[in-house]
Amino acid sequence: MSHTRLLSAALALLLLAGSGCVSEPPEAEYFAGRLSVSGDTVRLCDCATGRTHPVVDNAMRDEAVTRYEKIVNDPPRTIVMACKGQLTAGRPDAPDSLRIDRLLSLGSDDSDRFLLVGFYECETDSHHKILHLKPDRTFLLTVFDENHENMTSGRWSQTSELELILQSETSPLLRFEILPNHETLTGNNSPNAETVFRKVYL
């Protein structure tokens, strides 16, 4: 067999192997919450925001319901589901729907969680910062120094259970590690300086 045919055969095998890989769209985000099934109604109460989202009907929802029914003998009990997916806007008077792109886990939940939405404060030698994570997954970051007040807004999301990112058109992407036990966000987004945001209750 010629080198050209060997190369073509190798490429074909790689394409076939890749087609079976489980993947999600690049814009997919991490969600974890309490899954409830009642008849044809499937909902996820998002642990990060406290909001309840109807789950869009697709193959991944069918798989989640099948696994739910194997675990739960007496609906409408709830169990915890983690997934990668996307929110799609509903009507103005209706909650956003969640489309599951990939199931990560389904079952009992032994991890420590806390409601991510709320206010966080960070104190440094030269700045006072307030971060507001809002239930609609937008944020407002206010930085105070001696003479100025700078505000940055954008969107927050999770890439995993313990990583939060802040995306804004006016500033670089910011990454934070979530420390549930301490209700704290930590990040190394500045050279030689760790940023620590602690949740505050007003």
Side-chain angles (χ1 to χ4, degrees):
M1 185 181 288
S2 68
H3 290 297
T4 303
R5 287 184 178 179
L6 281 171
L7 182 59
S8 299
L11 286 172
L13 286 172
L14 284 172
L15 288 172
L16 285 172
S19 65
C21 293
V22 176
S23 62
E24 66 275 343
E27 63 271 19
E29 300 173 14
Y30 175 89
F31 294 89
R34 292 173 179 83
L35 180 71
S36 61
V37 178
S38 180
D40 294 331
T41 302
V42 182
R43 295 188 178 94
L44 181 79
C45 180
D46 185 7
C47 288
T49 65
R51 288 189 164 187
T52 298
H53 304 284
V55 179
V56 174
D57 189 8
N58 66 0
M60 287 292 97
R61 188 183 92 152
D62 293 343
E63 182 178 340
V65 171
T66 299
R67 291 169 62 177
Y68 172 92
E69 290 173 343
K70 288 180 179 178
I71 298 170
V72 177
N73 296 321
D74 185 24
R77 272 187 51 204
T78 60
I79 56 177
V80 171
M81 177 180 73
C83 68
K84 286 290 187 76
Q86 302 172 63
L87 292 178
T88 57
R91 302 188 311 273
D93 59 339
D96 293 342
S97 298
L98 172 64
R99 189 188 80 199
I100 303 173
D101 293 316
R102 181 159 65 100
L103 280 173
L104 300 175
S105 65
L106 195 65
S108 60
D109 181 38
D110 298 324
S111 63
D112 294 314
R113 299 182 189 275
F114 75 102
L115 198 65
L116 278 177
V117 296
F119 289 89
Y120 297 79
E121 284 188 331
C122 173
E123 292 282 358
T124 67
D125 292 338
S126 57
H127 297 93
H128 175 66
K129 302 178 183 180
I130 297 177
L131 173 63
H132 183 194
L133 300 182
K134 302 178 183 181
D136 63 357
R137 290 184 173 256
T138 61
F139 75 88
L140 179 64
L141 175 62
T142 308
V143 180
F144 303 90
D145 59 25
E146 291 182 357
N147 303 308
H148 298 90
E149 175 182 323
N150 297 313
M151 291 186 291
T152 303
S153 60
R155 194 172 186 281
W156 67 270
S157 61
Q158 288 178 263
T159 59
S160 67
E161 182 180 2
L162 297 178
E163 184 181 57
L164 173 82
I165 61 172
L166 305 181
Q167 296 173 292
S168 171
E169 294 181 356
T170 59
S171 65
L173 184 74
L174 301 177
R175 296 182 180 273
F176 295 92
E177 181 184 1
I178 302 168
L179 303 178
N181 289 337
H182 303 286
E183 298 192 345
T184 299
L185 309 173
T186 65
N188 293 297
N189 295 295
S190 301
N192 304 316
E194 182 180 58
T195 302
V196 180
F197 280 98
R198 291 184 171 83
K199 192 170 187 180
V200 294
Y201 294 90
L202 305 177

